[in-house]
Amino acid sequence: MKIVTTIKEIKAILKQERRGDKTIGLVPTMGCFHEGHLALMRRAKEECDVTVTSIFVNPTQFGPSEDFEAYPRDLKSDSKMAEKVGVDYLFAPSVEEMYPEENLTHVNVEKITDVLCGACRIGHFQGVATVVSKLFNMVNPDFAYFGEKDYQQLMVVKRMAKDLNFDLQVVGVSTVREEDGLAMSSRNRYLSSEERKAALVLSKSLRLASEMVENGEKNPGEIRESMIRLIKKEPLVNLEYLSICDTISLRELTIIKREALIALAARVGKARLIDNILIKGN
Amino acid sequence: MKIVTTIKEIKAILKQERRGDKTIGLVPTMGCFHEGHLALMRRAKEECDVTVTSIFVNPTQFGPSEDFEAYPRDLKSDSKMAEKVGVDYLFAPSVEEMYPEENLTHVNVEKITDVLCGACRIGHFQGVATVVSKLFNMVNPDFAYFGEKDYQQLMVVKRMAKDLNFDLQVVGVSTVREEDGLAMSSRNRYLSSEERKAALVLSKSLRLASEMVENGEKNPGEIRESMIRLIKKEPLVNLEYLSICDTISLRELTIIKREALIALAARVGKARLIDNILIKGN
């Protein structure tokens, strides 16, 4: 595996690779890898000739009061893990490399960014859509892999790629969980052991919702109430939002007909955690 | 020359062309060709192996009270002219082809769009930046050609391409003028013969400015005053703006040191005309 830090070099390398008609898979990440990231890389390895993983903690997608500075970075450990999975190129540019001068250009996706995380993290998805556009233009991949844990991010990137006619396919990969159900996240390391235990209520509440739908519940109000009742039993968990919404428009549902997304965010200690589940109605 | 109307076909054709390591030049236009457009195509022909000209009257860059419906369209005449110049592919998609569903994604360039035409035409440059991004992603050109007559548009596209790391070079081509000095524009055909005569004062005022600088004038206020005095002699010409500004930031200058852009827009009858001149200070 080769570590590349400049845009010029990654473009030159991939131009060469593309000549051999090879397909390129991109896994954009902020590093600090866990099994969730590795699942994206393994999927890219399976489906593409060349796998590129980018690591870039993108300042423009963090709000002023968010954890940009504190966000964990560990290129050494990340390199080892990516190499073991068989990644071909680890692209790890600096902030100066990505934003050499004032960035005046922004990519905005309307409507589906007004809800869920977008409603709480103003400017977040503009930062995401813009940096992903930049990475797409640098790497020019055939496939780009994003985790379903950040479901809204996946939908925003999919919509952006479609609207702007990026010549690639955005692939969503299932959330990877710890054995007890907690969704893997780089931010889990912010949790004390007590908080870690309390955080479990989030995935539990999603499983409860899933069971309710399986048992015929079609009313989002009933499901929400049961979930909130469960989550409130953990005083360390502060729910930020809980949404039962359409899987494409992300608008709140008044009745569950076929599919639905149940998504939530909560503060647990210093960590802001998100999780979601896709459910099928009866 | 082949006329292509679908995104799928233009992508397939150009993918094939690119295999032979051919360079691709794109000339994005709204059609209704005049010598200004042809100069862009000739330049592309000179510099690239394959020349693609797109014709798309983009609804999203017209304001609600602007001339989207009235904008002249003449694919038959355009085809003949492009073929004569040696264009390889004329890409002329419909509005439905370009925007098959509600477009939620917009590309915005800040600051340099707040002035000149951007101050008068709210949303115009968002429409331009977005549709040009789409065309860039469809055609994936090595070079893209834009006229200097729309100097602000050229700067917006250049900045967007740089900020978003589009893998191409944006090339500006000098304004082509009628023999008497009027800048060529598809909108000139809106002019009555009387208006056509009056409109000449715009290029005249720019030449006057250029002469003043050549003669040592460094004060933008003096130049502006002389230009406005001249333009006011034509009651059919209603000046919208007149700016003496930096060639990159497009901010008003208080003194002309080296380079400057003098740009103006005016209403003449039904037409909104723009023109500009790049001047070198002493």
Side-chain angles (χ1 to χ4, degrees), chain A residues 102, chain B residues 111 115 243-253:
Chain A
E102 192 190 8
Chain B
K111 292 190 182 176
V115 293
S243 175
I244 301 175
C245 61
D246 182 80
T247 58
I248 305 291
S249 73
L250 306 184
R251 274 188 224 154
E252 293 289 326
L253 292 175

Side-chain angles (χ1 to χ4, degrees), chain A residues 142 167, chain B residues 10-20 24:
Chain A
D142 300 281
D167 195 14
Chain B
I10 195 75
K11 278 166 76 169
I13 289 173
L14 295 175
K15 198 171 181 177
Q16 209 52 42
E17 293 278 20
R18 226 172 279 111
R19 270 169 206 248
I24 294 168

Side-chain angles (χ1 to χ4, degrees), chain A residues 38 56 68 71 93 102 111 116 128 131 143 167 193 195-196 200 228 236 246 269 281:
Chain A
L38 301 183
F56 182 60
F68 172 67
Y71 197 87
E102 192 190 8
K111 293 190 181 176
L116 310 182
V128 170
V131 80
F143 297 88
D167 195 14
S193 64
E195 288 162 353
R196 166 74 182 71
L200 253 190
I228 289 176
L236 291 176
D246 182 80

Side-chain angles (χ1 to χ4, degrees), chain A residues 76-134:
Chain A
K76 210 167 162 183
S77 151
D78 286 346
S79 307
K80 277 187 205 158
M81 290 166 88
E83 179 145 39
K84 212 167 159 188
V85 172
V87 166
D88 301 290
Y89 301 102
L90 192 66
F91 178 49
S94 66
V95 172
E96 294 66 37
E97 181 71 12
M98 288 292 279
Y99 301 109
E101 60 183 330
E102 192 190 8
N103 183 54
L104 298 185
T105 308
H106 306 287
V107 180
N108 279 294
V109 181
E110 277 176 28
K111 293 190 181 176
I112 58 171
T113 56
D114 294 341
V115 293
L116 310 182
C117 288
C120 315
R121 304 186 70 188
I122 303 306
H124 170 66
F125 285 114
Q126 175 181 288
V128 170
T130 304
V131 80
V132 170
S133 292
K134 287 166 69 73

Side-chain angles (χ1 to χ4, degrees), chain A residues 21 23 41 60 62 109-110 148 181 203 227 229 244 255 264:
Chain A
D21 249 359
T23 56
M41 297 176 213
T60 72
F62 287 81
V109 181
E110 277 176 28
E148 283 181 356
S203 53
M227 290 177 73
R229 206 178 306 127
I244 301 175
I255 184 167
L264 54 78

